[in-house]
Amino acid sequence: MNAFGRIFRVNIFGESHGESVGINIDGIPAGLALSVDDFLTDIERRKGGTQKGTTPRQETDLPILKSGVFNGKTTGAPLTILFENNNIRSGDYAKQRDVPRPGHADFVANKKYGNNEDYRGGGHFSGRLTVALVAAGVIAKRLLLTSSKGGGIKIHSTILEIGGETDLEKGLQKAVDNKDSVGGIVECKVNGLPIGLGEPFFDSVESLISHAVFAIPAVRGIEFGTGFQSAKMFGVEHNDAIKDASGATFTNHAGGVVGGITNSNEMVFRIAIKPTSSTPKEQHTYNWETNTIDTFSVKGRHDLCIALRVPVVLEAVTAMVLVDLMLLEQMIPRVINN
Amino acid sequence: MNAFGRIFRVNIFGESHGESVGINIDGIPAGLALSVDDFLTDIERRKGGTQKGTTPRQETDLPILKSGVFNGKTTGAPLTILFENNNIRSGDYAKQRDVPRPGHADFVANKKYGNNEDYRGGGHFSGRLTVALVAAGVIAKRLLLTSSKGGGIKIHSTILEIGGETDLEKGLQKAVDNKDSVGGIVECKVNGLPIGLGEPFFDSVESLISHAVFAIPAVRGIEFGTGFQSAKMFGVEHNDAIKDASGATFTNHAGGVVGGITNSNEMVFRIAIKPTSSTPKEQHTYNWETNTIDTFSVKGRHDLCIALRVPVVLEAVTAMVLVDLMLLEQMIPRVINN
Amino acid sequence: MNAFGRIFRVNIFGESHGESVGINIDGIPAGLALSVDDFLTDIERRKGGTQKGTTPRQETDLPILKSGVFNGKTTGAPLTILFENNNIRSGDYAKQRDVPRPGHADFVANKKYGNNEDYRGGGHFSGRLTVALVAAGVIAKRLLLTSSKGGGIKIHSTILEIGGETDLEKGLQKAVDNKDSVGGIVECKVNGLPIGLGEPFFDSVESLISHAVFAIPAVRGIEFGTGFQSAKMFGVEHNDAIKDASGATFTNHAGGVVGGITNSNEMVFRIAIKPTSSTPKEQHTYNWETNTIDTFSVKGRHDLCIALRVPVVLEAVTAMVLVDLMLLEQMIPRVINN
Amino acid sequence: MNAFGRIFRVNIFGESHGESVGINIDGIPAGLALSVDDFLTDIERRKGGTQKGTTPRQETDLPILKSGVFNGKTTGAPLTILFENNNIRSGDYAKQRDVPRPGHADFVANKKYGNNEDYRGGGHFSGRLTVALVAAGVIAKRLLLTSSKGGGIKIHSTILEIGGETDLEKGLQKAVDNKDSVGGIVECKVNGLPIGLGEPFFDSVESLISHAVFAIPAVRGIEFGTGFQSAKMFGVEHNDAIKDASGATFTNHAGGVVGGITNSNEMVFRIAIKPTSSTPKEQHTYNWETNTIDTFSVKGRHDLCIALRVPVVLEAVTAMVLVDLMLLEQMIPRVINN
């Protein structure tokens, strides 16, 4: 479904080339100071910088707070945030109707929804919707900073690798040189976590974070701590020996989560982002109209490397998960006094 | 929470050294033929064979169907399955009370539950509970086989690598030689899937499967299709070109999921299993009683490589997710006539 | 929470005197033809006619479909409907800030949300939000009409009694004569229901309908079939004898629900609506500012009898419940072909 | 579904004449002292006394705690409680297979589950399952008593009327004299509630309580405060004027709930219980085998007035709702220190 979270619960909606995208958030504690300005930095970060790798489509992306805020603070009622879609050139997509783009949801969406899907620019499946996640993430991150018991939880996500290169410029240049797109690896670290977040048996921290993370378009894998490398380690080598009564450990191979529960170490995980499905290079696909294999290349506005936009989105969904768990654990109050 | 699923919904309970472990399943279609014998093969598979890598603890592991079955068929009412714990030697664990085992949930569980946790053998965090998942999986897999529209969906999970070796015996021997434990990589493939399973935005197939998979103890990562390798590929290289009106593709780098939705290709994903936390080798940890760093080694019954037991558990949680999505998509009926 | 439903799931938001009220609906089948015009009749009905009993506040109340509709049909993606609040006179309410109105949520909302609530006109607790329910109800009622298996389910709600009088004009006149407000009894009947809606143990049809009904402001009671009168009947008198293989019964004291499950008889239930809390008559309440018992009377726009507006809202929430159950029972498909 | 609650979440299972009935409870705070003895008083109360009105079936009804308790306290893991069915005479029911009993779920269950339902004694629809609710209620009531912020919340439910008589013996005698069954009215009062329980828009206190209450077999109506009588009152008459800064009111017509939120007044509501469907008197129903209208009378063990057993069940579901809301409001902690 289009909802996620148990107490801090988001509902996402909208289409790439419809009127708007947006998000409705229930369960936000009352009393959190909030203004449009608070969203701007993260929304700008999502644009992926001005590098060669990001799409020239420039939405104004001003969040409109439709409900749930009064006198500059959250009221405890659900908050709905809209982003109007102003800069739409649907013509780019309409002509591609008969040619389901490989790597995109075009084909499966058409079958799933019986030919009723909004196919323009991926419709509801578009990466455009991540702007709404970012907005929810802004609120979630502010709540983590003001949390009474866990205090000062900070999330920071960075790109580790682009196109197989740790020198990111070099990785992007590969895409440019090949007139193609590239993928990347993004890491997320969380500091200041309390012990005890995560619920057995099915709501381990890894379960909830991976659930949210795979909602981000183009994610193909996730690993915590030493991740896949763990499979090649010995037990004593992998185990993080506890060194004192606080639970601090000598190493952090677990990435801050043991038995599905945070142990107050830094939480560390990485995700794999596939190369952007839309590339300038010629591709083959089936043409519904002509019933033949067709060739096409994307002329429209697209990212050479979607991974460049991912860090702020990854922070957002991580923050959403953590806030939800902290509300459940009563580590964030239902009314903020700040 | 200890529940998972929207229509086919499981609730797991029990402790390693308590009276029993079990699972309650709501939303099973009525009319599915079911007997105790149907569970035995998978329960046996979970024991991981008679190889050197698996624990000598031998539970009888006969499922007791407490409700929801009448005249050999499911009734539509919730089905509760119990496994009594007969073969318990709690003494092994009681003496370790003051020494939270690294890699286990001992420390975090103690803090999270305010010293009230059942600490014996990991209590509710124990791998013992996976026998209940396997039981739910048996039912889910039978439903996939009898599904009216998707028909004949088959899940098969295998071990790809143990201790970094594709020769599994060789990997296990590493553990024996080092008096330590090793991890592994397990793959899962699903054939016969229809197009259209998975729900935007948050219930992508990958989201739901990874959510369930990270409930399995010792999982550290998951990747779909080409997974982490995708991050090093070019767009045209990674994209699976569609070749005909059925949606069949020339390649299957996506692992059968595009835009979070199944595309009828074989679904493929892999998970990383860390080495068993309990190893015969000496380890260090903090001792709550003496307030010093202590050394200990596990004398009890434990697996050298927990990955050996994982395939059937992985099949189980995968089947649970797919059945739930197929009930939602009305591809499995609410009443089975078989 | 502000969400209701398992598959057809609504999320309501907005405040009486904020920017807007609205509703986000997830799980609508794809392919349902839908336009703004489809909403107008029910939105008009909610205004309660032009009688003396209804408030002169006249919102334009044009629904704005922000997402989920493409080419005049639902897409399967979430549909968000906005109603902008144009006709606001907050001044009426600001001066009442210190005087929590008896019968309204003013006092409890202030305490619950730590003085952060939007207090203007009841804010998120306002009956204004029922316009969003009505919009969701329009969609739900259309789905009931197009349902493939249940076919032609029709909901009709009427006022039985106003101010204790079955002659409704007479009841309203009582309010006018007393310069006070009055309550009423509203009945709802549903025809064409299939056998089998409702889920044991907790999702009986009565459970779900009453859950939704008590979300409507001013509802104080609900009864099914012979309801409270049942408590005075003998068993054989109350039981509806089954007369043929279709399950038809000689009487319908149960109101169409037996064991929490629909039996294909007409479903019948009634709700009690309290008199409008805001009345022109002088009332007493505590004044936070002066710390004394204060007197006040409502000068603003208010309904003499809120029950006049309830029938269409009652139909709406009833339809929402039934659609959700029919989707679960696979009696409404996930894609509509109409 | 067979689950209820958001944090304190119960899952009920079992059949009247199957092996057992039981309940699985997730989200119980850790550290609550609990023994089998704690359940006995309420389980005894559910038997309805030794009066003429209650069935002679005497189950031992000893709760078996299968998980979630260790060293006499809850652990934070899910608690499963079983009641074995020892005293079963299925023969009584098997011969009635062809004669769906009016007022019972026999007919609808048969259709809903495609002839796979456990029909013995109502199977999963039986009032027998309320023993499991009572067990969950015992835990919930203990949590209300130990709640840190709300402190000392007490629930008390009583019978107001049997067979239309406030003299209960007289009401029961009517049933005896008529060789029939009678219904009743049961009231529930809750004292010590804090301000602020209940969540707009859909989780008003009335919504949640009525949802749970209609899961109790034989309930036909519910009303809060002055309830249906409210519909005949004037606004100023019904409104409870606030008299001081604590929110105390001069009257309590609202029954302690305003705008769906508790206002710290005594909560008061009443439910209508229909006469027991099984009566000694001859009834008519359709016979599936002979395809004719058949006559039958119940010879087995049945209650003349099921309402006699309801008060403790009503307390149980009310307590479940309140605990769930208090956990959400962080008024009951996740770890109890007692």
Side-chain angles (χ1 to χ4, degrees), chain B residues 31-80:
Chain B
L32 182 74
L34 200 65
S35 73
V36 167
D37 286 351
D38 297 324
F39 295 87
L40 302 185
T41 303
D42 272 6
I43 289 173
E44 190 61 31
R45 283 177 66 202
R46 178 184 161 273
K47 292 180 180 164
T50 55
Q51 312 104 296
K52 57 187 85 146
T54 52
T55 172
R57 171 173 169 175
Q58 291 297 349
E59 294 285 350
T60 314
D61 285 347
L62 273 181
I64 306 169
L65 309 183
K66 299 298 287 185
S67 66
V69 176
F70 180 55
N71 288 340
K73 292 190 174 182
T74 57
T75 61
L79 201 156
T80 298

Side-chain angles (χ1 to χ4, degrees), chain C residues 7-28:
Chain C
I7 299 178
F8 184 88
R9 187 164 176 88
V10 301
N11 299 278
I12 200 166
F13 58 89
E15 291 85 19
S16 178
H17 289 59
E19 268 202 45
S20 58
V21 300
I23 201 158
N24 165 267
I25 314 173
D26 201 3
I28 305 176

Side-chain angles (χ1 to χ4, degrees), chain C residues 217-234:
Chain C
V219 176
R220 303 310 295 150
I222 185 168
E223 60 177 9
F224 290 80
T226 44
F228 274 85
Q229 188 58 30
S230 310
K232 301 186 195 301
M233 295 168 80
F234 286 108

